[in-house]
Amino acid sequence: MWSQATRNQAVTAKIERTMSRAFNFSAGPAALPTEVLEEARDQLLDYQGRGLSVMEMSHRSKEFIAIAEQAEADLRELLAVPEGYHVLFMQGGATLQFAAVPLNLLGEKSSADYVETGSWASKAIAEARRYCEVHVVASSAEENFSYVPAPDTWDCSADAAYLHVTGNETIGGVEYHQYPDTGSVPLVADLSSTLLSRPLDVSRFGVIYSGAQKNIGPAGITVVLVREDLAGKAAAATPSMLDYAVQAESGSMHNTPPTYSWYIAGLVFKWLKAQGGLEVMAERNDSKSGRLYSAIDTSNFYRCPVRPADRSRMNVAFTLADAELDGRFLEQAEAGGLLNLKGHRSVGGMRASLYNAVPEQAVDALIDFMRRFETDHA
Ligand code: PMP
């Protein structure tokens, strides 16, 4: 049953919510900055006095080309992308990159190395097995994917076409806080749920890919950074849409791109720059996730199964002392304006995703709610 305090809080939050937006902890598609949505709303019917929506423009129009080029320039600036990298806006999500990576990078080689840290790494491995021999150089499967295996234990092969890591496991809440030096073997990273959450040394990577629907924009677009020397040797059977060289040559417009998603991603990049860039984001993300983990660790009611050194700053996974209370927790959280806290169906429990657009107040409200729930149910 609800305590009076919890009920009052839920009512207050509901009233506030009619005037503002709910706190959205979705893992993806995820919260977007309110300012971005407001700008999109203001330009929805009439983009900069052109008398039409961005959705209604040709992707070859000078207006849209300007939007696309600005988005790329802002992304390059935010990530300080060095010379010698293609920045591609592709389609098919990170899932299609699971295939695009071996198709583009194998060349004459027949095997690739993968580190298995959770559900998304496992999916990347399964897809790569359709195209090459996959060597799993390290796995945390036997401990329920609760950590990142130490790089000095990885059993890497010198003749691998590349080494693939999943920078942040969105489901398990496990994140690399450093990346290993892989020498001459290109490091390939699925950074779907961590790209843009902090500064990154892009020069360490051969390929970085990320679906947009976490820190970049709406679903439909996939950001791919490719070191130029790695493009241009795709297997003959590679669909041209997946060929990095073809996409680079056509400015990511080999076909009609998802123009509106690209435009919104551009607004998000502008917003990130206005916030002060990725250093500022990193500070905020450390502070948000640090406060939540600390609230979990100091309670006897909540528990995070991930080893502290490898915990994600983007996806905080936790369980309640009694899983029977999960339903009530979620119901009361939702009534209080705290949405999408249910853990992934494959692991259960709770997950709070704290992407860039999730404000500090959302985390404070969640911690407050968790404390009240604990008092009522411990
Ligand atoms: N990799 C990771 C780390 C993810 O979080 C996701 C989606 N949640 C995917 C891959 C698959 O992405 P998409 O749905 O864009 O194909």
Side-chain angles (χ1 to χ4, degrees):
M1 288 307 296
W2 290 28
S3 72
Q4 189 57 44
T6 306
R7 241 190 326 262
N8 289 347
Q9 183 75 20
V11 169
T12 315
K14 223 169 195 165
I15 293 165
E16 279 171 4
R17 226 168 359 119
T18 57
M19 297 176 285
S20 65
R21 284 159 40 78
F23 292 134
N24 180 7
F25 298 95
S26 171
L32 285 165
T34 301
E35 294 93 323
V36 164
L37 296 176
E38 285 168 347
E39 187 168 350
R41 176 201 59 200
D42 293 346
Q43 299 184 333
L44 183 64
L45 297 179
D46 179 8
Y47 178 74
Q48 295 190 350
R50 308 301 205 279
L52 76 175
S53 164
V54 172
M55 265 182 268
E56 303 168 297
M57 288 175 186
S58 164
H59 57 298
R60 311 268 178 216
S61 65
K62 76 173 183 330
E63 288 84 358
F64 188 76
I65 297 286
I67 289 170
E69 288 180 352
Q70 190 60 51
E72 179 180 332
D74 287 342
L75 181 58
R76 281 183 184 272
E77 184 182 328
L78 282 164
L79 281 169
V81 178
E83 287 287 299
Y85 279 80
H86 298 302
V87 172
L88 309 177
F89 291 84
M90 294 180 68
Q91 300 169 57
T95 304
L96 202 51
Q97 292 303 312
F98 294 165
V101 165
L103 283 167
N104 279 278
L105 299 195
L106 279 170
E108 303 290 297
K109 307 224 170 175
S110 57
S111 76
D113 286 352
Y114 279 72
V115 182
E116 190 185 33
T117 43
S119 311
W120 290 111
S122 304
K123 289 200 167 146
I125 288 167
E127 190 71 1
R129 285 205 166 112
R130 299 163 68 99
Y131 304 100
C132 64
E133 194 188 313
V134 169
H135 184 203
V136 177
V137 300
S139 172
S140 53
E142 85 295 347
E143 285 191 42
N144 232 353
F145 295 126
S146 56
Y147 66 98
V148 176
D152 59 5
T153 67
W154 298 359
D155 178 25
C156 297
S157 12
D159 65 343
Y162 58 88
L163 169 70
H164 181 282
V165 297
T166 307
N168 184 67
E169 289 283 357
T170 320
I171 293 175
V174 174
E175 183 169 11
Y176 287 73
H177 295 289
Q178 260 124 262
Y179 292 98
D181 184 355
T182 54
S184 60
V185 174
L187 178 60
V188 174
D190 172 1
L191 300 190
S192 291
S193 44
T194 176
L195 193 70
L196 299 180
S197 69
R198 58 177 155 152
L200 186 73
D201 181 359
V202 172
S203 71
R204 307 273 307 278
F205 298 86
V207 174
I208 290 169
Y209 61 90
S210 172
Q213 62 273 19
K214 287 99 163 61
N215 271 330
I216 296 171
I221 211 150
T222 315
V223 165
V224 186
L225 274 53
V226 185
R227 214 175 66 206
E228 283 174 10
D229 62 292
L230 297 175
K233 53 174 187 162
T238 307
S240 46
M241 279 294 291
L242 283 190
D243 185 327
Y244 294 152
V246 170
Q247 289 291 6
E249 215 155 284
S250 62
S252 306
M253 293 196 195
H254 183 62
N255 80 333
T256 313
T259 49
Y260 203 73
S261 295
W262 195 333
Y263 156 72
I264 300 284
L267 295 184
V268 171
F269 301 153
K270 232 170 56 172
W271 178 83
L272 283 169
K273 284 173 55 178
Q275 301 297 302
L278 302 192
E279 306 264 349
V280 172
M281 284 300 128
E283 270 168 42
R284 279 189 210 164
N285 291 327
D286 281 347
S287 150
K288 287 186 296 182
S289 57
R291 287 209 304 281
L292 183 50
Y293 282 121
S294 158
I296 291 167
D297 289 341
T298 52
S299 96
N300 292 319
F301 188 79
Y302 302 104
R303 202 180 87 78
C304 171
V306 181
R307 187 165 77 182
D310 302 323
R311 288 177 175 176
S312 167
R313 295 147 316 121
M314 292 287 98
N315 310 101
V316 177
F318 63 97
T319 54
L320 273 54
D322 176 2
E324 297 269 301
L325 291 171
D326 284 5
R328 198 179 296 173
F329 180 93
L330 290 165
E331 192 185 302
Q332 293 186 11
E334 186 164 339
L338 306 168
L339 307 188
N340 297 315
L341 287 163
K342 194 173 185 337
H344 190 270
R345 59 190 183 281
S346 63
V347 293
M350 305 298 152
R351 172 180 50 176
S353 295
L354 310 180
Y355 300 120
N356 289 337
V358 174
E360 309 248 2
Q361 303 89 286
V363 179
D364 294 337
L366 172 58
I367 293 171
D368 266 8
F369 168 74
M370 287 168 68
R371 292 209 171 112
R372 284 197 313 278
F373 191 87
E374 177 175 355
T375 308
D376 289 354
H377 296 91

